[in-house]
């Protein structure tokens, strides 16, 4: 039942089953949708040269499909791949390329068992098959993608890789195939042709069975639908053969099919609006709730799987450019429409106007304007520097003194 261990089966499902492919490809592609905004233009140039965005999508796709993938950094630091990457030896143009491999191209070495090690519970080296060459690579020159991790005891049986998404949704995929096959079989019997042959029973009893079979085959050869029955037309003076067609009406299949597809989408943790390519059903339903949940999942994938990968890459690029590692900000994979942006700006403006009406301090308003993206950090700092609270004395109120 552990289909993660069956590479060929996973490949065939990915190539031949549309729901299997979508379950794997959609979260991978949407995780890099919008991508990131770097604070340094030189890093963006290197990022495009290395094709990092597309390679990240590939790494996630094979990780979802096979339970893991590997990114190999081809860096010329003057050392063998089996040696730790020496950042001090990296010079301009040393970062050659990144190669993405699925888990079946990688053999894990001995696992680090020292809890004090940075690579605890990770292999101390990898045997990697690139082309026709197999070589040993140090973990500092690689990055593992495991999008569906397993408990430690289960991971040991998978050479410390994860589980395929297709194994998780396998039962739903099989149920959907069985459902479609059942519908197909029922539809074949929805229309039935019935031939009536006079004295059929007498002909069979009198040894004319072959003649009956020959007549039936001749009749069926002229029909487009071979779903036919034969009955005795009786002996009450009717010498002509009879023919009738019975059609059965089936209903409810559309709703059942949608429910089956929705279950697959739910198992794959993908909104039906994206998975099935249709609008949200129901009155005033816009799909925003399911998209928000899916967006949270994408953010998690970015934080757990992509950010550590980019950190390694940015560190190497920084050495080649002799610069500091820049900051970056993720773009929303579901950007707002102009109408939505205008509505939010109006709401933000209303908040600022109310704060001014309540005579809120300028510094607090500046923070809120910066939070809304209306002013930048320099403008915010200018307002904060210019804002000074004038000292004042608290005067005794006469009525208060009388009461005391």
């Amino acid at each position: 039942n552990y289909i993660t261990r069956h590479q060929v089966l996973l490949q065939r499902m990915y190539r031949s089953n549309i729901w299997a492919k979508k379950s794997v490809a959609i979260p991978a592609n949407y995780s890099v949708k919008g991508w990131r905004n770097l604070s340094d233009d030189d890093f963006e140039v290197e990022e495009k040269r290395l094709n990092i965005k597309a390679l990240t999508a590939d790494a996630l796709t094979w990780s979802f499909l096979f339970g893991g993938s590997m990114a190999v950094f081809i860096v010329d630091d003057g050392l063998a791949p089996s040696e730790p990457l020496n950042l001090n030896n990296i010079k301009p143009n040393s970062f050659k390329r990144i190669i993405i491999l699925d888990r079946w191209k990688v053999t894990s070495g001995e696992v680090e068992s020292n809890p004090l090690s940075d690579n605890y519970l990770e292999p101390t080296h990898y045997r990697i098959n690139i082309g026709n060459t197999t070589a040993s690579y140090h973990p500092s020159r690689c990055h593992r993608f495991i999008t569906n991790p397993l408990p430690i005891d289960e991971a040991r049986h998978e050479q410390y890789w994860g589980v395929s998404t297709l194994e998780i949704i396998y039962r739903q995929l099989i149920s959907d195939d069985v459902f479609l096959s059942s519908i197909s079989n029922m539809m074949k019997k929805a229309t039935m042709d019935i031939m009536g042959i006079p004295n059929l029973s007498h002909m069979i009893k009198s040894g004319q069975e072959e003649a009956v079979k020959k007549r039936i085959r001749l009749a069926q050869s002229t029909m487009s639908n071979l779903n036919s029955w034969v009955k005795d037309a009786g002996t009450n003076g009717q010498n002509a053969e009879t023919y009738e067609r019975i059609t059965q009406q089936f209903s409810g299949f559309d709703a059942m099919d949608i429910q089956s597809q929705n279950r697959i989408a739910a198992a794959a943790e993908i909104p039906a609006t994206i998975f099935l390519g249709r609008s949200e059903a129901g009155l005033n339903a816009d799909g925003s709730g399911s998209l928000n949940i899916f967006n949270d999942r994408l953010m998690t994938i970015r934080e757990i799987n992509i950010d550590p990968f980019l950190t390694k890459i940015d560190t190497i690029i920084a050495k080649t450019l002799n610069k500091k590692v820049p900051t970056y900000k993720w773009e929303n994979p579901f950007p707002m429409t102009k109408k939505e942006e205008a509505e939010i700006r109006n709401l933000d403006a209303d908040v600022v106007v109310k704060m001014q009406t309540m005579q809120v301090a300028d510094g607090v308003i500046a923070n809120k304007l910066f939070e809304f993206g209306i002013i930048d950090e320099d403008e915010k700092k200018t307002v904060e520097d210019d804002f000074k609270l004038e000292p004042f004395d608290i005067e005794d109120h006469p009525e208060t003194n009388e009461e005391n």
Side-chain angles (χ1 to χ4, degrees):
N1 294 330
Y2 295 146
I3 66 171
T4 299
R5 301 173 186 175
H6 299 277
Q7 178 187 9
V8 176
L9 175 60
L10 295 175
Q11 290 173 336
R12 289 178 178 176
M13 292 176 65
Y14 180 78
R15 297 180 62 172
S16 62
N17 188 301
I18 183 61
W19 306 131
K21 182 173 183 177
K22 282 191 171 186
S23 301
V24 168
I26 287 177
N29 292 332
Y30 272 83
S31 293
V32 302
K33 183 181 178 183
W35 198 232
R36 62 172 179 168
N37 282 330
L38 280 160
S39 60
D40 191 303
D41 293 339
D42 292 335
F43 275 79
E44 286 191 2
V45 172
E46 280 295 288
E47 184 178 78
K48 291 180 180 179
R49 180 184 69 84
L50 294 168
N51 200 22
I52 294 175
K53 179 180 178 180
L55 292 176
T56 303
D58 288 344
L60 291 172
T61 299
W62 308 142
S63 179
F64 282 119
L65 178 59
F66 296 114
S69 63
M70 177 73 74
V72 183
F73 308 132
I74 307 301
V75 183
D76 183 9
D77 63 343
L79 299 176
S82 58
E83 297 294 327
L85 180 64
N86 191 333
L87 295 175
N88 296 324
N89 289 354
I90 296 178
K91 299 177 182 179
N93 302 320
S94 295
F95 200 169
K96 302 301 181 181
R97 65 184 55 85
I98 301 172
I99 300 176
I100 304 298
L101 303 169
D102 63 64
R103 59 170 286 189
W104 298 105
K105 297 291 185 181
V106 181
T107 302
S108 301
E110 183 181 353
V111 175
E112 178 61 69
S113 58
N114 183 5
L116 299 179
S117 172
D118 293 337
N119 297 323
Y120 177 59
L121 293 182
E122 292 185 9
T124 56
H125 69 278
Y126 298 99
R127 296 288 297 176
I128 296 178
N129 182 10
I130 301 178
N132 296 323
T133 304
T134 301
S136 178
Y137 278 77
H138 191 270
S140 60
R141 300 176 184 271
C142 312
H143 181 81
R144 291 197 309 172
F145 285 85
I146 301 178
T147 46
N148 296 315
L150 288 168
I152 185 62
D153 290 337
E154 290 291 324
R156 286 194 183 99
H157 297 295
E158 302 295 338
Q159 293 188 342
Y160 291 90
W161 294 104
V163 62
S164 169
T165 297
L166 301 191
E167 180 175 314
I168 298 173
I169 68 171
Y170 186 68
R171 290 183 180 274
Q172 292 300 332
L173 292 175
I174 295 299
S175 297
D176 186 67
D177 284 343
V178 171
F179 170 72
L180 294 177
S181 298
S182 300
I183 291 179
S184 177
N185 291 332
M186 293 178 68
M187 294 305 296
K188 289 179 181 178
K189 298 180 180 180
T191 301
M192 184 174 297
D193 297 323
I194 300 179
M195 293 175 53
I197 301 178
N199 301 315
L200 176 62
S201 300
H202 176 72
M203 293 173 66
I204 294 176
K205 292 179 180 179
S206 61
Q208 302 181 52
E209 185 174 349
E210 288 301 322
V212 173
K213 290 182 179 179
K214 184 178 180 180
R215 178 65 187 92
I216 294 172
R217 286 194 297 266
L218 179 62
Q220 289 181 336
S221 65
T222 63
M223 297 180 183
S224 59
N225 189 344
L226 302 184
N227 192 29
S228 307
W229 275 14
V230 178
K231 70 175 184 178
D232 195 329
T235 58
N236 55 352
Q238 297 181 5
N239 295 321
E241 293 181 350
T242 61
Y243 171 81
E244 60 181 315
R245 170 164 287 184
I246 298 177
T247 301
Q248 296 182 358
Q249 299 294 332
F250 297 104
S251 62
F253 285 159
D254 291 345
M256 294 171 63
D257 189 30
I258 291 174
Q259 289 179 358
S260 178
Q261 294 172 4
N262 284 338
R263 282 193 291 267
I264 298 176
E269 300 181 88
I270 300 173
T273 51
I274 297 176
F275 192 78
L276 305 177
R278 63 165 181 252
S279 59
E280 192 78 18
L283 185 64
N284 297 326
D286 57 4
S288 59
S290 58
L291 286 182
N292 289 336
I293 295 174
F294 186 54
N295 190 43
D296 290 341
R297 183 193 178 194
L298 298 179
M299 294 300 104
T300 301
I301 293 174
R302 288 175 171 181
E303 292 176 5
I304 296 178
N305 295 280
I306 304 180
D307 281 340
F309 173 58
L310 296 179
T311 298
K312 291 183 179 180
I313 292 175
D314 291 344
T315 302
I316 299 174
I317 294 177
K319 288 295 182 179
T320 63
L321 298 177
N322 195 22
K323 286 187 171 184
K324 293 183 178 179
V325 175
T327 59
Y328 64 86
K329 181 181 179 182
W330 283 106
E331 289 293 323
N332 191 333
F334 304 103
M336 292 183 292
T337 63
K338 292 183 178 180
K339 179 182 178 181
E340 292 172 336
E341 290 178 351
E343 291 175 349
I344 291 178
R345 284 196 297 269
N346 289 335
L347 292 174
D348 294 344
D350 290 341
V351 172
V352 174
V353 170
K354 289 179 180 178
M355 293 177 71
Q356 291 175 330
T357 303
M358 297 170 62
Q359 296 184 347
V360 176
D362 292 344
V364 178
I365 295 178
N367 285 330
K368 187 60 66 174
L369 291 173
F370 176 73
E371 178 184 335
F372 291 157
I374 299 176
I375 63 175
D376 58 26
E377 191 169 358
D378 293 335
E379 292 172 324
K380 170 176 169 288
K381 190 174 185 304
T382 300
V383 175
E384 291 176 342
D385 291 342
D386 292 342
F387 174 72
K388 294 181 180 179
L389 185 64
E390 296 294 336
F392 60 91
D393 296 328
I394 300 178
E395 298 180 357
D396 293 336
H397 197 282
E399 295 180 1
T400 306
N401 291 335
E402 291 178 2
E403 291 179 0
N404 293 336

